[in-house]
Amino acid sequence: MSTLSREAVAQLAEHLENAELQAQDVTKITNDYPTMDFEDAYDIQWEIRRRKEARGTKIVGMKLGLTSWAKMAQMGVEVPCYGFLADYFSCANGSAIDTSTLIHPKVEAEIAFVTNKVLTGPGCHAADVFAATECVLPAVEIIDSRYRDFKFDLKSVVADNCSSSRFVTGGRSLSVDHMDLSTAGVVLEKNGEIVDMATGAAVLGNPAESVAMLANMLAERGEVIPAGTFIMTGGVTAAVAVEAGDCISVRYHDLGSLSMRFV
Ligand code: 0L1
Ligand code: MG
């Protein structure tokens, strides 16, 4: 049940989107709206999405955040969240990412899905996801919370599009029949040194569970995952802070590798 007026939702969406576009950090919005609920938070996120689409920005995918137990514990939250990916978030594999447009970026290694059938909740489960998957491929998310020093609570994060900022994908796509995602290994290197390793099981036991969770969460708003949706399922590794001068390289079992540098 929403608690915020339409005016407050619109004003908070403008506030958070401006923080993103101007790379200016802000304090968490629940400081001023302590009684706002999750429906309000998603209302603000969907209003940010509507604002971007009204200016001609295309939505090119969805992301789940906080889908690993380790990351939920690190951030002090207990449930995952979802956000959208805008066209200008997409950066080519091997590209240089401009940190002057970001506040305090961090990178996360993820496994992404592309669907080929609509997925509808409630009750969507991993088997539905496997049956509706065109391919899986590697992805690296660059998160950039608009909140000062990454200090937030989950409602504030949801309103802020779950810190979505940039992403890199590419590598090699595979049919989900040809790999066991839960044991697929990922090695994350920063400036030539290994900083984290994980397997797909870090994400809810299997990243397909994350896609099912997205379908079930969208159903609460009467939304579905359309066929052909690119979905990033959440970090298998911890989020690693980066700054200008850093190079990131991620190697995936069977799915090739991704790299980027920050300038
Ligand atoms: O993609 C993510 O897991 C990030 C979710 C938002 C929380 C954060 O900024 O760490
Ligand atoms: Mg992520």
Side-chain angles (χ1 to χ4, degrees):
M1 194 189 69
S2 307
T3 69
L4 296 179
S5 66
R6 287 165 70 99
E7 291 72 26
V9 168
Q11 185 257 319
L12 287 165
E14 183 179 2
H15 171 67
L16 288 173
E17 200 201 7
N18 284 345
E20 179 228 319
L21 296 174
Q22 295 163 13
Q24 283 288 337
D25 59 8
V26 294
T27 54
K28 66 179 165 59
I29 58 173
T30 49
N31 289 355
D32 294 324
Y33 294 88
T35 59
M36 66 178 268
D37 62 18
F38 279 104
E39 197 170 329
D40 294 317
Y42 278 108
D43 285 348
I44 295 166
Q45 182 193 124
W46 280 85
E47 174 61 13
I48 294 172
R49 176 177 170 149
R50 191 204 61 75
R51 288 171 61 87
K52 290 190 188 303
E53 288 186 289
R55 290 197 299 270
T57 298
K58 300 280 179 254
I59 303 306
V60 298
M62 297 293 289
K63 58 96 43 108
L64 279 293
L66 304 170
T67 47
S68 79
W69 305 122
K71 197 150 178 217
M72 281 187 255
Q74 182 187 16
M75 292 321 209
V77 301
E78 285 163 8
V79 277
C81 55
Y82 70 82
F84 64 83
L85 304 172
D87 51 12
Y88 67 93
F89 295 2
S90 173
C91 303
N93 191 10
S95 65
I97 297 176
D98 181 5
T99 55
S100 73
T101 62
L102 306 173
I103 302 167
H104 42 198
K106 295 182 183 179
V107 298
E108 306 182 320
E110 308 207 2
I111 293 170
F113 282 61
V114 178
T115 60
N116 59 15
K117 294 186 188 69
V118 67
L119 279 167
T120 309
C124 182
H125 51 76
D128 297 320
V129 174
F130 290 131
T133 298
E134 179 67 23
C135 62
V136 291
L137 67 169
V140 171
E141 181 172 32
I142 296 99
I143 54 169
D144 193 34
S145 174
R146 269 53 70 169
Y147 297 116
R148 197 154 302 148
D149 303 323
F150 273 84
K151 287 209 172 79
F152 46 62
D153 51 25
L154 189 55
K155 290 171 197 162
S156 298
V157 166
V158 165
D160 183 32
N161 194 21
C162 293
S163 310
S164 307
S165 169
R166 300 287 183 269
F167 68 91
V168 175
T169 189
R172 179 175 176 219
S173 66
L174 273 187
S175 155
V176 80
D177 303 336
H178 289 114
M179 63 184 302
D180 176 358
L181 286 174
S182 58
T183 57
V186 179
V187 179
L188 172 61
E189 292 177 10
K190 178 177 166 181
N191 302 328
E193 288 188 5
I194 295 173
V195 287
D196 207 351
M197 289 179 270
T199 69
V203 169
L204 300 174
N206 188 307
E209 300 286 357
S210 174
V211 179
M213 184 175 274
L214 175 63
N216 293 328
M217 290 172 96
L218 287 174
E220 291 170 18
R221 296 184 71 96
E223 303 278 348
V224 300
I225 305 177
T229 303
F230 172 75
I231 303 161
M232 297 200 310
T233 56
V236 292
T237 60
V240 174
V242 285
E243 58 186 17
D246 287 337
C247 292
I248 293 290
S249 168
V250 190
R251 286 178 283 139
Y252 292 78
H253 178 73
D254 273 352
L255 294 175
S257 60
L258 297 174
S259 63
M260 69 225 66
R261 62 201 167 88
F262 291 84
V263 294

PDB file of all heavy atoms in Angstrom, residues 63-67 71 74-75 81 106 108 110 141 143-145 150 152 154 157-158 160-164 234-235 239, ligand 1:
ATOM      1  N   LYS A  63      17.717  -5.932 -14.105  1.00  0.00           N
ATOM      2  CA  LYS A  63      18.746  -6.497 -13.233  1.00  0.00           C
ATOM      3  C   LYS A  63      18.140  -6.841 -11.876  1.00  0.00           C
ATOM      4  O   LYS A  63      17.187  -6.189 -11.425  1.00  0.00           O
ATOM      5  CB  LYS A  63      19.934  -5.536 -13.063  1.00  0.00           C
ATOM      6  CG  LYS A  63      19.634  -4.167 -12.520  1.00  0.00           C
ATOM      7  CD  LYS A  63      19.803  -3.887 -11.057  1.00  0.00           C
ATOM      8  CE  LYS A  63      20.881  -4.283 -10.193  1.00  0.00           C
ATOM      9  NZ  LYS A  63      21.776  -3.198  -9.789  1.00  0.00           N
ATOM     10  N   LEU A  64      18.689  -7.855 -11.288  1.00  0.00           N
ATOM     11  CA  LEU A  64      18.396  -8.175  -9.886  1.00  0.00           C
ATOM     12  C   LEU A  64      19.594  -7.720  -9.077  1.00  0.00           C
ATOM     13  O   LEU A  64      20.737  -7.841  -9.528  1.00  0.00           O
ATOM     14  CB  LEU A  64      18.213  -9.680  -9.695  1.00  0.00           C
ATOM     15  CG  LEU A  64      16.874 -10.347 -10.032  1.00  0.00           C
ATOM     16  CD1 LEU A  64      15.786  -9.901  -9.082  1.00  0.00           C
ATOM     17  CD2 LEU A  64      16.474 -10.159 -11.451  1.00  0.00           C
ATOM     18  N   GLY A  65      19.345  -7.229  -7.889  1.00  0.00           N
ATOM     19  CA  GLY A  65      20.431  -6.850  -6.997  1.00  0.00           C
ATOM     20  C   GLY A  65      20.303  -7.574  -5.683  1.00  0.00           C
ATOM     21  O   GLY A  65      19.211  -8.025  -5.307  1.00  0.00           O
ATOM     22  N   LEU A  66      21.436  -7.700  -4.998  1.00  0.00           N
ATOM     23  CA  LEU A  66      21.460  -8.293  -3.652  1.00  0.00           C
ATOM     24  C   LEU A  66      20.897  -9.716  -3.664  1.00  0.00           C
ATOM     25  O   LEU A  66      20.132 -10.100  -2.788  1.00  0.00           O
ATOM     26  CB  LEU A  66      20.668  -7.396  -2.686  1.00  0.00           C
ATOM     27  CG  LEU A  66      21.159  -5.941  -2.629  1.00  0.00           C
ATOM     28  CD1 LEU A  66      20.188  -5.062  -1.849  1.00  0.00           C
ATOM     29  CD2 LEU A  66      22.546  -5.860  -2.019  1.00  0.00           C
ATOM     30  N   THR A  67      21.281 -10.486  -4.667  1.00  0.00           N
ATOM     31  CA  THR A  67      20.773 -11.858  -4.791  1.00  0.00           C
ATOM     32  C   THR A  67      21.713 -12.891  -4.178  1.00  0.00           C
ATOM     33  O   THR A  67      21.414 -14.075  -4.234  1.00  0.00           O
ATOM     34  CB  THR A  67      20.514 -12.215  -6.269  1.00  0.00           C
ATOM     35  OG1 THR A  67      21.647 -11.818  -7.033  1.00  0.00           O
ATOM     36  CG2 THR A  67      19.268 -11.546  -6.804  1.00  0.00           C
ATOM     37  N   LYS A  71      26.148 -10.875  -0.181  1.00  0.00           N
ATOM     38  CA  LYS A  71      25.947  -9.448  -0.446  1.00  0.00           C
ATOM     39  C   LYS A  71      24.807  -8.873   0.405  1.00  0.00           C
ATOM     40  O   LYS A  71      24.879  -7.747   0.874  1.00  0.00           O
ATOM     41  CB  LYS A  71      25.702  -9.233  -1.933  1.00  0.00           C
ATOM     42  CG  LYS A  71      25.901  -7.806  -2.252  1.00  0.00           C
ATOM     43  CD  LYS A  71      26.365  -7.416  -3.577  1.00  0.00           C
ATOM     44  CE  LYS A  71      26.379  -5.882  -3.507  1.00  0.00           C
ATOM     45  NZ  LYS A  71      26.004  -5.217  -4.677  1.00  0.00           N
ATOM     46  N   GLN A  74      26.427  -8.256   3.595  1.00  0.00           N
ATOM     47  CA  GLN A  74      27.359  -7.118   3.498  1.00  0.00           C
ATOM     48  C   GLN A  74      26.597  -5.788   3.579  1.00  0.00           C
ATOM     49  O   GLN A  74      27.042  -4.834   4.199  1.00  0.00           O
ATOM     50  CB  GLN A  74      28.121  -7.216   2.158  1.00  0.00           C
ATOM     51  CG  GLN A  74      29.157  -6.136   1.907  1.00  0.00           C
ATOM     52  CD  GLN A  74      29.737  -6.202   0.483  1.00  0.00           C
ATOM     53  OE1 GLN A  74      29.202  -6.831  -0.415  1.00  0.00           O
ATOM     54  NE2 GLN A  74      30.847  -5.526   0.296  1.00  0.00           N
ATOM     55  N   MET A  75      25.421  -5.742   2.938  1.00  0.00           N
ATOM     56  CA  MET A  75      24.658  -4.498   2.878  1.00  0.00           C
ATOM     57  C   MET A  75      23.600  -4.413   3.982  1.00  0.00           C
ATOM     58  O   MET A  75      22.873  -3.420   4.065  1.00  0.00           O
ATOM     59  CB  MET A  75      23.967  -4.375   1.512  1.00  0.00           C
ATOM     60  CG  MET A  75      24.951  -4.169   0.372  1.00  0.00           C
ATOM     61  SD  MET A  75      26.276  -3.083   0.887  1.00  0.00           S
ATOM     62  CE  MET A  75      26.790  -2.296  -0.526  1.00  0.00           C
ATOM     63  N   CYS A  81      16.384  -7.142  -4.780  1.00  0.00           N
ATOM     64  CA  CYS A  81      15.602  -6.067  -5.399  1.00  0.00           C
ATOM     65  C   CYS A  81      15.817  -6.127  -6.910  1.00  0.00           C
ATOM     66  O   CYS A  81      16.716  -6.821  -7.380  1.00  0.00           O
ATOM     67  CB  CYS A  81      16.058  -4.706  -4.867  1.00  0.00           C
ATOM     68  SG  CYS A  81      17.824  -4.400  -5.060  1.00  0.00           S
ATOM     69  N   LYS A 106      31.472   0.674  -8.365  1.00  0.00           N
ATOM     70  CA  LYS A 106      31.976  -0.639  -7.944  1.00  0.00           C
ATOM     71  C   LYS A 106      31.600  -1.633  -9.033  1.00  0.00           C
ATOM     72  O   LYS A 106      30.558  -1.462  -9.683  1.00  0.00           O
ATOM     73  CB  LYS A 106      31.317  -1.098  -6.639  1.00  0.00           C
ATOM     74  CG  LYS A 106      31.636  -0.239  -5.425  1.00  0.00           C
ATOM     75  CD  LYS A 106      30.959  -0.855  -4.183  1.00  0.00           C
ATOM     76  CE  LYS A 106      31.161  -0.026  -2.946  1.00  0.00           C
ATOM     77  NZ  LYS A 106      30.491  -0.618  -1.758  1.00  0.00           N
ATOM     78  N   GLU A 108      30.781  -5.725 -10.236  1.00  0.00           N
ATOM     79  CA  GLU A 108      30.320  -7.038  -9.783  1.00  0.00           C
ATOM     80  C   GLU A 108      30.280  -7.971 -10.987  1.00  0.00           C
ATOM     81  O   GLU A 108      29.753  -7.576 -12.034  1.00  0.00           O
ATOM     82  CB  GLU A 108      28.888  -6.970  -9.252  1.00  0.00           C
ATOM     83  CG  GLU A 108      28.640  -5.965  -8.203  1.00  0.00           C
ATOM     84  CD  GLU A 108      27.190  -6.008  -7.712  1.00  0.00           C
ATOM     85  OE1 GLU A 108      26.263  -6.184  -8.523  1.00  0.00           O
ATOM     86  OE2 GLU A 108      27.017  -5.863  -6.506  1.00  0.00           O
ATOM     87  N   GLU A 110      28.651 -10.985 -12.929  1.00  0.00           N
ATOM     88  CA  GLU A 110      27.296 -11.543 -12.929  1.00  0.00           C
ATOM     89  C   GLU A 110      27.113 -12.527 -14.088  1.00  0.00           C
ATOM     90  O   GLU A 110      27.905 -12.553 -15.031  1.00  0.00           O
ATOM     91  CB  GLU A 110      26.262 -10.415 -13.064  1.00  0.00           C
ATOM     92  CG  GLU A 110      26.482  -9.303 -12.042  1.00  0.00           C
ATOM     93  CD  GLU A 110      25.224  -8.545 -11.670  1.00  0.00           C
ATOM     94  OE1 GLU A 110      24.144  -8.890 -12.174  1.00  0.00           O
ATOM     95  OE2 GLU A 110      25.351  -7.607 -10.854  1.00  0.00           O
ATOM     96  N   GLU A 141      28.468  -5.819 -13.914  1.00  0.00           N
ATOM     97  CA  GLU A 141      27.693  -4.618 -13.598  1.00  0.00           C
ATOM     98  C   GLU A 141      28.587  -3.604 -12.900  1.00  0.00           C
ATOM     99  O   GLU A 141      29.401  -3.962 -12.044  1.00  0.00           O
ATOM    100  CB  GLU A 141      26.496  -4.942 -12.689  1.00  0.00           C
ATOM    101  CG  GLU A 141      25.715  -3.652 -12.423  1.00  0.00           C
ATOM    102  CD  GLU A 141      24.405  -3.816 -11.695  1.00  0.00           C
ATOM    103  OE1 GLU A 141      24.293  -4.731 -10.863  1.00  0.00           O
ATOM    104  OE2 GLU A 141      23.501  -2.996 -11.949  1.00  0.00           O
ATOM    105  N   ILE A 143      27.941  -0.791 -10.482  1.00  0.00           N
ATOM    106  CA  ILE A 143      26.915  -0.131  -9.654  1.00  0.00           C
ATOM    107  C   ILE A 143      27.465   1.195  -9.151  1.00  0.00           C
ATOM    108  O   ILE A 143      28.684   1.365  -8.995  1.00  0.00           O
ATOM    109  CB  ILE A 143      26.450  -1.017  -8.466  1.00  0.00           C
ATOM    110  CG1 ILE A 143      27.628  -1.498  -7.617  1.00  0.00           C
ATOM    111  CG2 ILE A 143      25.604  -2.161  -8.950  1.00  0.00           C
ATOM    112  CD1 ILE A 143      27.201  -2.133  -6.307  1.00  0.00           C
ATOM    113  N   ASP A 144      26.577   2.133  -8.894  1.00  0.00           N
ATOM    114  CA  ASP A 144      26.997   3.459  -8.448  1.00  0.00           C
ATOM    115  C   ASP A 144      25.845   4.073  -7.662  1.00  0.00           C
ATOM    116  O   ASP A 144      25.092   4.896  -8.183  1.00  0.00           O
ATOM    117  CB  ASP A 144      27.350   4.327  -9.675  1.00  0.00           C
ATOM    118  CG  ASP A 144      28.083   5.601  -9.296  1.00  0.00           C
ATOM    119  OD1 ASP A 144      28.868   5.568  -8.327  1.00  0.00           O
ATOM    120  OD2 ASP A 144      27.882   6.623  -9.972  1.00  0.00           O
ATOM    121  N   SER A 145      25.713   3.625  -6.423  1.00  0.00           N
ATOM    122  CA  SER A 145      24.633   4.178  -5.593  1.00  0.00           C
ATOM    123  C   SER A 145      24.716   5.698  -5.591  1.00  0.00           C
ATOM    124  O   SER A 145      25.799   6.271  -5.501  1.00  0.00           O
ATOM    125  CB  SER A 145      24.761   3.664  -4.152  1.00  0.00           C
ATOM    126  OG  SER A 145      23.801   4.315  -3.353  1.00  0.00           O
ATOM    127  N   PHE A 150      27.586   5.065  -0.044  1.00  0.00           N
ATOM    128  CA  PHE A 150      26.807   3.809  -0.129  1.00  0.00           C
ATOM    129  C   PHE A 150      26.046   3.573   1.177  1.00  0.00           C
ATOM    130  O   PHE A 150      25.818   2.448   1.575  1.00  0.00           O
ATOM    131  CB  PHE A 150      27.716   2.608  -0.444  1.00  0.00           C
ATOM    132  CG  PHE A 150      27.953   2.374  -1.926  1.00  0.00           C
ATOM    133  CD1 PHE A 150      28.934   3.070  -2.615  1.00  0.00           C
ATOM    134  CD2 PHE A 150      27.195   1.452  -2.629  1.00  0.00           C
ATOM    135  CE1 PHE A 150      29.158   2.858  -3.969  1.00  0.00           C
ATOM    136  CE2 PHE A 150      27.408   1.231  -3.992  1.00  0.00           C
ATOM    137  CZ  PHE A 150      28.395   1.929  -4.663  1.00  0.00           C
ATOM    138  N   PHE A 152      22.679   3.454   2.925  1.00  0.00           N
ATOM    139  CA  PHE A 152      21.271   3.434   2.523  1.00  0.00           C
ATOM    140  C   PHE A 152      20.550   2.315   3.252  1.00  0.00           C
ATOM    141  O   PHE A 152      21.153   1.523   3.969  1.00  0.00           O
ATOM    142  CB  PHE A 152      21.147   3.225   1.016  1.00  0.00           C
ATOM    143  CG  PHE A 152      22.025   2.123   0.447  1.00  0.00           C
ATOM    144  CD1 PHE A 152      21.875   0.812   0.846  1.00  0.00           C
ATOM    145  CD2 PHE A 152      22.993   2.418  -0.497  1.00  0.00           C
ATOM    146  CE1 PHE A 152      22.663  -0.191   0.319  1.00  0.00           C
ATOM    147  CE2 PHE A 152      23.794   1.404  -1.028  1.00  0.00           C
ATOM    148  CZ  PHE A 152      23.625   0.101  -0.622  1.00  0.00           C
ATOM    149  N   LEU A 154      17.133  -0.549   2.243  1.00  0.00           N
ATOM    150  CA  LEU A 154      16.663  -1.194   1.013  1.00  0.00           C
ATOM    151  C   LEU A 154      15.618  -0.359   0.277  1.00  0.00           C
ATOM    152  O   LEU A 154      15.614  -0.305  -0.956  1.00  0.00           O
ATOM    153  CB  LEU A 154      16.135  -2.594   1.331  1.00  0.00           C
ATOM    154  CG  LEU A 154      15.813  -3.462   0.122  1.00  0.00           C
ATOM    155  CD1 LEU A 154      17.011  -3.599  -0.812  1.00  0.00           C
ATOM    156  CD2 LEU A 154      15.340  -4.839   0.558  1.00  0.00           C
ATOM    157  N   VAL A 157      17.384   2.214  -1.712  1.00  0.00           N
ATOM    158  CA  VAL A 157      18.089   1.586  -2.840  1.00  0.00           C
ATOM    159  C   VAL A 157      17.118   1.257  -3.978  1.00  0.00           C
ATOM    160  O   VAL A 157      17.410   1.500  -5.153  1.00  0.00           O
ATOM    161  CB  VAL A 157      18.796   0.295  -2.363  1.00  0.00           C
ATOM    162  CG1 VAL A 157      19.244  -0.554  -3.534  1.00  0.00           C
ATOM    163  CG2 VAL A 157      19.976   0.645  -1.503  1.00  0.00           C
ATOM    164  N   VAL A 158      15.969   0.696  -3.634  1.00  0.00           N
ATOM    165  CA  VAL A 158      14.970   0.351  -4.665  1.00  0.00           C
ATOM    166  C   VAL A 158      14.567   1.600  -5.439  1.00  0.00           C
ATOM    167  O   VAL A 158      14.523   1.617  -6.665  1.00  0.00           O
ATOM    168  CB  VAL A 158      13.749  -0.332  -4.013  1.00  0.00           C
ATOM    169  CG1 VAL A 158      12.566  -0.366  -4.966  1.00  0.00           C
ATOM    170  CG2 VAL A 158      14.112  -1.745  -3.546  1.00  0.00           C
ATOM    171  N   ASP A 160      16.241   4.168  -5.944  1.00  0.00           N
ATOM    172  CA  ASP A 160      17.411   4.592  -6.730  1.00  0.00           C
ATOM    173  C   ASP A 160      17.768   3.552  -7.799  1.00  0.00           C
ATOM    174  O   ASP A 160      18.938   3.392  -8.156  1.00  0.00           O
ATOM    175  CB  ASP A 160      18.590   4.830  -5.769  1.00  0.00           C
ATOM    176  CG  ASP A 160      19.828   5.338  -6.469  1.00  0.00           C
ATOM    177  OD1 ASP A 160      19.698   6.062  -7.483  1.00  0.00           O
ATOM    178  OD2 ASP A 160      20.943   4.995  -6.015  1.00  0.00           O
ATOM    179  N   ASN A 161      16.781   2.840  -8.302  1.00  0.00           N
ATOM    180  CA  ASN A 161      16.993   1.844  -9.367  1.00  0.00           C
ATOM    181  C   ASN A 161      18.095   0.856  -9.004  1.00  0.00           C
ATOM    182  O   ASN A 161      18.878   0.424  -9.856  1.00  0.00           O
ATOM    183  CB  ASN A 161      17.285   2.541 -10.712  1.00  0.00           C
ATOM    184  CG  ASN A 161      17.165   1.587 -11.885  1.00  0.00           C
ATOM    185  OD1 ASN A 161      16.508   0.545 -11.792  1.00  0.00           O
ATOM    186  ND2 ASN A 161      17.814   1.918 -12.988  1.00  0.00           N
ATOM    187  N   CYS A 162      18.162   0.510  -7.729  1.00  0.00           N
ATOM    188  CA  CYS A 162      19.115  -0.495  -7.240  1.00  0.00           C
ATOM    189  C   CYS A 162      20.549  -0.208  -7.691  1.00  0.00           C
ATOM    190  O   CYS A 162      21.285  -1.140  -8.075  1.00  0.00           O
ATOM    191  CB  CYS A 162      18.677  -1.893  -7.651  1.00  0.00           C
ATOM    192  SG  CYS A 162      17.172  -2.369  -6.832  1.00  0.00           S
ATOM    193  N   SER A 163      20.903   1.076  -7.647  1.00  0.00           N
ATOM    194  CA  SER A 163      22.290   1.501  -7.935  1.00  0.00           C
ATOM    195  C   SER A 163      22.739   1.220  -9.366  1.00  0.00           C
ATOM    196  O   SER A 163      23.935   1.309  -9.666  1.00  0.00           O
ATOM    197  CB  SER A 163      23.291   0.853  -6.954  1.00  0.00           C
ATOM    198  OG  SER A 163      22.895   1.006  -5.629  1.00  0.00           O
ATOM    199  N   SER A 164      21.809   0.900 -10.262  1.00  0.00           N
ATOM    200  CA  SER A 164      22.183   0.590 -11.658  1.00  0.00           C
ATOM    201  C   SER A 164      22.892   1.783 -12.273  1.00  0.00           C
ATOM    202  O   SER A 164      22.472   2.927 -12.092  1.00  0.00           O
ATOM    203  CB  SER A 164      20.928   0.307 -12.493  1.00  0.00           C
ATOM    204  OG  SER A 164      20.153  -0.671 -11.878  1.00  0.00           O
ATOM    205  N   GLY A 234      22.527 -10.678 -10.747  1.00  0.00           N
ATOM    206  CA  GLY A 234      23.099 -10.265  -9.461  1.00  0.00           C
ATOM    207  C   GLY A 234      24.537 -10.745  -9.323  1.00  0.00           C
ATOM    208  O   GLY A 234      24.943 -11.739  -9.935  1.00  0.00           O
ATOM    209  N   GLY A 235      25.288 -10.035  -8.500  1.00  0.00           N
ATOM    210  CA  GLY A 235      26.718 -10.324  -8.379  1.00  0.00           C
ATOM    211  C   GLY A 235      26.984 -11.698  -7.771  1.00  0.00           C
ATOM    212  O   GLY A 235      26.424 -12.032  -6.729  1.00  0.00           O
ATOM    213  N   ALA A 239      31.101  -6.720  -4.509  1.00  0.00           N
ATOM    214  CA  ALA A 239      31.290  -5.515  -5.316  1.00  0.00           C
ATOM    215  C   ALA A 239      32.662  -4.925  -4.966  1.00  0.00           C
ATOM    216  O   ALA A 239      33.006  -4.775  -3.797  1.00  0.00           O
ATOM    217  CB  ALA A 239      30.179  -4.518  -5.013  1.00  0.00           C
TER     218      ALA A 239
HETATM  219  O1  0L1 B   1      23.362  -4.923  -8.112  1.00  0.00           O
HETATM  220  C1  0L1 B   1      23.382  -4.929  -6.883  1.00  0.00           C
HETATM  221  O2  0L1 B   1      23.476  -5.978  -6.216  1.00  0.00           O
HETATM  222  C2  0L1 B   1      23.335  -3.613  -6.159  1.00  0.00           C
HETATM  223  C3  0L1 B   1      22.080  -3.456  -5.413  1.00  0.00           C
HETATM  224  C4  0L1 B   1      22.059  -2.162  -4.671  1.00  0.00           C
HETATM  225  C5  0L1 B   1      22.879  -2.134  -3.441  1.00  0.00           C
HETATM  226  C6  0L1 B   1      24.263  -1.613  -3.684  1.00  0.00           C
HETATM  227  O3  0L1 B   1      24.413  -0.521  -4.228  1.00  0.00           O
HETATM  228  O4  0L1 B   1      25.202  -2.291  -3.283  1.00  0.00           O
END
